[in-house]
Amino acid sequence: MWGRAQASRLRYVNDQHPMLPDELIRRALAERDVSNWRADDMLHHFAERRQHDQGMSAVEPQKSRYRTQLFPKSAKLGNWIAVAGLAVLLGAGGLISHLATISESPLNSVVTYRTQNSEHAEMTLSDGTVVRLNVDSEIDIPYNFGNTQNGRSVNLRGEAYFHVTHTVGSPFVIQTSTARAVVLGTEFGVRAYDSTNVRVAVRSGKVALNDVVLDARSVGTVNGHSPVMVAQNQDVDAALSFTKGQLVLSRTTLRDAIADLNRWYDVEINVVNTAYNSEQINVVLSIGSINDLMDFLRMLFPATITREGRTITIS
Amino acid sequence: MQHLGFDVQLVVRVRNGDEAALDEIFRNYAPALAAFVDGYVKSTAIAEEIVQDVFLWIVRNRERWTVKESIRSYLYGAARNRALDYLKHSVVEQRWAVRSQVSNAGWEPMGEIPIDTQLVIAEQISALRRAIAKLPESRRTTLTLRWNHGLSYAEIAAIIGSSPKAVENQLNRTLNSLRKMLQESF
């Protein structure tokens, strides 16, 4: 598998060149990152303008409407410093097009951020904690997040990376369907696509997963309601590679990789010839077009690979 | 990535004057739209204002607001029209050149990659950027909408007035020529 893989324009684990041509194109296409522009701030300005507009709806629109400086210059500059500091971290194509839904009661309300297949998103919470959502993931953030009484607690489905800001006396809690991770200030990833398999990989600091303490470079897994299993001195960066916009499949069988490939490329892969299910895959992929995925599969398997819409069949 | 059912409900709510519905749409799309428009007008303030104008138009004309493919494709289409309109009536071409040199879009920490390799990559990216800037507007837009904003072929077709198949073909041709260019510069 390795020999053939090297020849490809996709980036492989042992390849010297650091980036795919596709990744270069993507970077060249990149717009200035606005993931840190606060939608709420913009909405506030918009609401003001709308009110103003409704107050003078009989009046013709101003002639030089795009010339007016809507925001004071200094405020803008402040924004940009924040953007320059944090925004550059976003992975490939990671634009926030999440759906944010707000439940009714204002006191108990929760904002849900959601990424679709083949989407990444990054957000900074009010306490400065940075969250990067992997593909097809969902996080609930309470409206009163960070209040002294309520503390810092979020719900997660899917996979996310957290860089938690240390706040004295206020632990950060991540709740998945079956596991609960408590942290003080640290960097780590939580993977909980599947309620029967939750994985926490700690880059630095300490995380308590269902009350079992994980040190830096440890990976803890929970299968269903079983006790936590801890593996120390792990390659945590591989487990957190999605934060760099990469999907690392290392010594994985096709069978185990399909769910991830489906999520990353927003496709549905059907394996008709089940002999391929147990083939090993070693590859690093970026979010790309379906055609990239097709190329990759064709390279990997001497199979007939066809596609109809978003369904790919390997036979 | 179809939320048509979701979209239809939202459009109906906006038509009935439900401000919360419009705010929800705004919250979801405004930042990404502003980045998209910023790519045309090269000014954050103007980009934000154009995005707000798109939404103000919806407020003023909400009873007859119609969405063909999806709310997303409507918004990107309207934002693009306004951005092109703005460019037509202003002299921003010179600013373009200056800003695109200093723009640090696409820069991410490259971590453990050796510095000389980083420089090579930086050169390749800026060469690519020049090539992309020379593409016809509709091709550049198609590429951006698909690769940066994740719109479907059908949504893009609705925006640039084409068919999904034609969008796919055009996209592949553009990508192939960019890839060929890249491979030559390796």
Side-chain angles (χ1 to χ4, degrees):
Chain A
M1 222 51 82
W2 282 101
R4 255 183 300 159
Q6 295 275 347
S8 135
R9 61 188 168 73
L10 292 162
R11 184 195 161 191
Y12 285 81
V13 174
N14 286 342
D15 196 336
Q16 286 303 300
H17 199 284
M19 276 198 276
L20 314 176
D22 279 4
E23 179 60 21
L24 287 177
I25 296 175
R26 201 178 295 282
R27 287 192 183 209
L29 274 173
E31 292 150 353
R32 286 196 292 179
D33 199 308
V34 294
S35 57
N36 279 54
W37 289 7
R38 296 273 309 276
D40 288 347
D41 288 349
M42 283 181 72
L43 183 61
H44 177 69
H45 289 296
F46 171 59
E48 277 178 1
R49 225 181 129 191
R50 188 170 53 192
Q51 249 168 16
H52 183 247
D53 186 74
Q54 277 160 352
M56 44 183 283
S57 54
V59 183
E60 282 290 295
Q62 311 118 281
K63 266 185 187 152
S64 59
R65 49 196 177 144
Y66 295 137
R67 300 273 177 229
T68 44
Q69 190 83 30
L70 200 71
F71 309 105
K73 273 226 164 83
S74 54
K76 226 49 248 177
L77 186 66
N79 257 351
W80 271 108
I81 291 166
V83 171
L86 281 161
V88 283
L89 294 164
L90 210 73
L95 276 159
I96 298 194
S97 54
H98 52 248
L99 306 172
T101 28
I102 302 171
S103 62
E104 288 105 45
S105 158
L107 273 180
N108 303 318
S109 71
V110 163
V111 183
T112 302
Y113 291 88
R114 165 163 181 71
T115 52
Q116 305 286 333
N117 280 343
S118 79
E119 272 184 345
H120 280 161
E122 177 179 286
M123 66 206 74
T124 306
L125 306 184
S126 56
D127 64 344
T129 292
V130 177
V131 181
R132 285 182 222 166
L133 277 186
N134 200 353
V135 293
D136 184 25
S137 298
E138 211 172 87
I139 189 166
D140 298 333
I141 296 160
Y143 190 73
N144 50 18
F145 175 88
N147 269 10
T148 34
Q149 301 104 329
N150 298 291
R152 304 184 288 171
S153 175
V154 297
N155 289 331
L156 174 72
R157 191 195 70 74
E159 182 166 16
Y161 162 87
F162 297 87
H163 188 163
V164 173
T165 310
H166 179 66
T167 306
V168 177
S170 177
F172 191 101
V173 180
I174 294 144
Q175 185 73 52
T176 75
S177 59
T178 50
R180 178 184 155 89
V182 180
V183 295
L184 292 169
T186 170
E187 292 176 63
F188 62 102
V190 178
R191 182 182 166 95
Y193 282 115
D194 186 347
S195 61
T196 59
N197 186 345
V198 176
R199 188 188 74 194
V200 175
V202 183
R203 181 177 277 157
S204 70
K206 280 183 168 62
V207 176
L209 175 62
N210 293 352
D211 299 329
V212 174
V213 175
L214 305 174
D215 297 313
R217 310 198 61 73
S218 294
V219 175
T221 32
V222 179
N223 290 313
H225 294 279
S226 71
V228 180
M229 293 198 296
V230 183
Q232 283 166 333
N233 287 318
Q234 295 296 300
D235 181 4
V236 173
D237 284 338
L240 300 177
S241 58
F242 87 86
T243 61
K244 295 185 202 147
Q246 293 173 337
L247 172 63
V248 176
L249 300 172
S250 164
R251 294 188 296 276
T252 312
T253 59
L254 178 63
R255 186 189 294 108
D256 294 335
I258 281 177
D260 272 327
L261 290 172
N262 286 349
R263 281 191 281 261
W264 277 64
Y265 288 89
D266 190 20
V267 293
E268 198 188 321
I269 299 174
N270 293 322
V271 184
V272 175
N273 186 339
T274 48
Y276 294 120
N277 264 330
S278 45
E279 288 267 356
Q280 274 220 350
I281 305 176
N282 290 290
V283 67
V284 177
L285 297 166
S286 305
I287 286 185
S289 66
I290 295 192
N291 289 339
D292 291 342
L293 177 64
M294 300 274 289
D295 287 351
F296 155 67
L297 291 171
R298 286 204 180 102
M299 207 162 42
L300 221 49
F301 307 114
T304 312
I305 293 163
T306 53
R307 136 166 119 88
E308 206 169 304
R310 306 202 76 86
T311 306
I312 293 177
T313 307
I314 303 178
S315 48
Chain B
M1 228 184 285
Q2 297 292 323
H3 353 279
L4 278 182
F6 175 80
D7 274 9
V8 170
Q9 279 175 7
L10 272 179
V11 172
V12 170
R13 282 171 60 197
V14 170
R15 279 208 200 130
N16 293 335
D18 180 345
E19 297 211 343
L22 191 70
D23 286 353
E24 190 178 330
I25 300 172
F26 189 93
R27 215 186 289 268
N28 286 342
Y29 293 106
L33 280 173
F36 174 66
V37 175
D38 184 78
Y40 285 91
V41 301
K42 307 296 163 194
S43 153
T44 315
I46 291 169
E48 286 189 354
E49 217 176 322
I50 286 179
V51 171
Q52 291 182 353
D53 274 354
V54 169
F55 282 90
L56 278 177
W57 190 94
I58 300 174
V59 173
R60 288 197 201 116
N61 303 282
R62 59 165 188 266
E63 288 94 348
R64 54 195 174 92
W65 184 40
T66 51
V67 166
K68 285 199 190 99
E69 187 65 32
S70 65
I71 289 179
R72 185 163 67 161
S73 74
Y74 170 87
L75 292 173
Y76 278 96
R80 171 184 180 239
N81 287 341
R82 271 160 210 269
L84 290 176
D85 198 46
Y86 169 76
L87 288 182
K88 216 189 286 175
H89 296 108
S90 67
V91 201
V92 286
E93 261 71 8
Q94 284 150 336
R95 221 165 357 127
W96 207 159
V98 178
R99 252 277 307 274
S100 57
Q101 276 170 5
V102 295
S103 161
N104 53 8
W107 278 102
E108 293 163 38
M110 296 188 199
E112 63 286 1
I113 301 171
I115 188 72
D116 51 337
T117 317
Q118 290 195 24
L119 288 174
V120 173
I121 293 171
E123 255 167 47
Q124 286 169 338
I125 290 178
S126 67
L128 263 178
R129 232 181 240 155
R130 284 194 296 275
I132 290 167
K134 280 187 204 138
L135 290 174
E137 188 273 331
S138 73
R139 286 197 169 208
R140 200 169 56 231
T141 304
T142 306
L143 211 56
T144 308
L145 287 175
R146 179 74 197 135
W147 277 40
N148 289 7
H149 296 259
L151 270 70
S152 69
Y153 294 142
E155 285 175 318
I156 297 169
I159 291 170
I160 64 170
S162 177
S163 74
K165 195 68 207 160
V167 168
E168 186 176 1
N169 291 340
Q170 190 207 53
L171 205 56
N172 285 340
R173 274 201 304 276
T174 311
L175 280 174
N176 282 339
S177 64
L178 289 176
R179 282 188 191 120
K180 200 175 286 170
M181 226 195 64
L182 254 177
Q183 252 126 32
E184 280 159 12
S185 66
F186 269 149

